[in-house]
Amino acid sequence: DLDILCSVKSTTLSNQTIIHVYKPVMNNQKSRSLGRFLSLGGGGESSADSWKCIKECYIAAESTSLHFLRSRLCVGCSRGFEIVDLATMNTQSLLDPADSSLGFINKRDTSRPIALFRVHDGQFLLCYDEFAFYVNRNGQRARSNWMIHWVGTPVSFKFEYPYVLAFDSQFIEVYHVETASVVQVIITGNCTSLSPNKTAVNLCVTSPSPTQAQEVLRIQHILAQDPL
């Protein structure tokens, strides 16, 4: 296995995304821990000496998100979710174009793909800024009767089974991923999700007062049992 680092540069002017894949060049070749590679400021002997670009890929669309799969990348962009094969750097759409049940996606040119989560049984939860739905590993619609339509316009998401949290700038929507039912709406005011990929659900709330004081809060799951 090779630890890699990916950088994404998206430009609105040229409407394209450039993905670079780097591998670390080590002073100590015996150490292959990515955690040590990233400790560049520590000055330790195991820090990465440099990063070497080994591959690059171009997508003719502006990107909005990047997700790591087992051996591939998934890029959310204006064309939808695009899969990048790290071996060949070829790209293809995550969604199966032959699946007629996904036709509603083509009718919503303004929908922004934001997040992708692996759930179970080879299924993925795709979260756009307007809705969420399931697909299988072949990019075909799964759970045809299951769909969430967000009340707000989320800019980020957090998945903590059996819940998905959608972060709007003024509130947080919490839905059950098996029933698609709303569990809770948390009114926060001007909030921003912090480290959405971490285990803890942290957010920063900015006060509307002239001082615009900020507070960092943590959302904790306190239900005694699964309401399902």
Side-chain angles (χ1 to χ4, degrees):
D1 293 339
L2 176 65
D3 293 313
I4 61 172
L5 176 69
C6 293
S7 69
V8 180
K9 181 179 180 181
S10 182
T11 58
T12 305
L13 183 61
S14 59
N15 194 31
Q16 71 173 0
T17 296
I18 306 173
I19 302 174
H20 291 99
V21 179
Y22 300 85
K23 72 174 183 179
V25 177
M26 296 295 297
N27 289 322
N28 181 359
Q29 293 297 326
K30 294 182 179 180
S31 176
R32 293 296 177 186
S33 169
L34 184 57
R36 294 182 179 181
F37 293 161
L38 297 179
S39 61
L40 298 177
E45 293 182 356
S46 298
S47 297
D49 183 54
S50 63
W51 295 86
K52 180 180 179 182
C53 182
I54 55 176
K55 293 180 180 180
E56 65 180 16
C57 171
Y58 294 84
I59 298 177
E62 183 183 2
S63 65
T64 56
S65 61
L66 177 68
H67 310 277
F68 285 90
L69 303 178
R70 290 177 180 174
S71 60
R72 297 177 294 176
L73 295 177
C74 182
V75 181
C77 62
S78 55
R79 289 180 2 193
F81 286 102
E82 294 282 318
I83 296 295
V84 181
D85 188 319
L86 290 175
T88 63
M89 299 306 285
N90 292 330
T91 65
Q92 66 179 48
S93 173
L94 170 65
L95 300 181
D96 183 356
D99 188 348
S100 60
S101 65
L102 293 171
F104 66 94
I105 293 292
N106 299 325
K107 298 178 182 179
R108 295 175 180 260
D109 295 336
T110 59
S111 297
R112 295 176 61 246
I114 298 178
L116 173 148
F117 303 104
R118 186 189 301 271
V119 184
H120 51 67
D121 299 330
Q123 295 182 351
F124 295 89
L125 177 63
L126 306 187
C127 296
Y128 293 69
D129 62 348
E130 295 184 36
F131 45 75
F133 59 94
Y134 281 103
V135 297
N136 60 26
R137 66 186 62 186
N138 297 318
Q140 300 163 339
R141 182 80 183 272
R143 308 189 194 189
S144 58
N145 296 323
W146 191 104
M147 196 166 191
I148 293 176
H149 291 274
W150 312 115
V151 175
T153 306
V155 295
S156 63
F157 295 88
K158 167 69 177 178
F159 176 71
E160 189 69 31
Y161 188 85
Y163 306 107
V164 59
L165 288 75
F167 291 83
D168 182 87
S169 61
Q170 299 298 317
F171 54 87
I172 303 169
E173 302 175 54
V174 183
Y175 283 80
H176 198 288
V177 299
E178 296 295 344
T179 64
S181 59
V182 60
V183 176
Q184 187 177 10
V185 176
I186 305 172
I187 306 299
T188 60
N190 189 4
C191 76
T192 303
S193 173
L194 302 176
S195 303
N197 294 324
K198 301 297 182 181
T199 302
V201 182
N202 299 320
L203 61 146
C204 177
V205 178
T206 303
S207 169
S209 65
T211 59
Q212 293 190 325
Q214 294 182 321
E215 293 182 299
V216 176
L217 307 177
R218 171 172 293 182
I219 299 176
Q220 183 176 2
H221 180 204
I222 58 175
L223 293 177
Q225 58 183 5
D226 188 339
L228 182 61

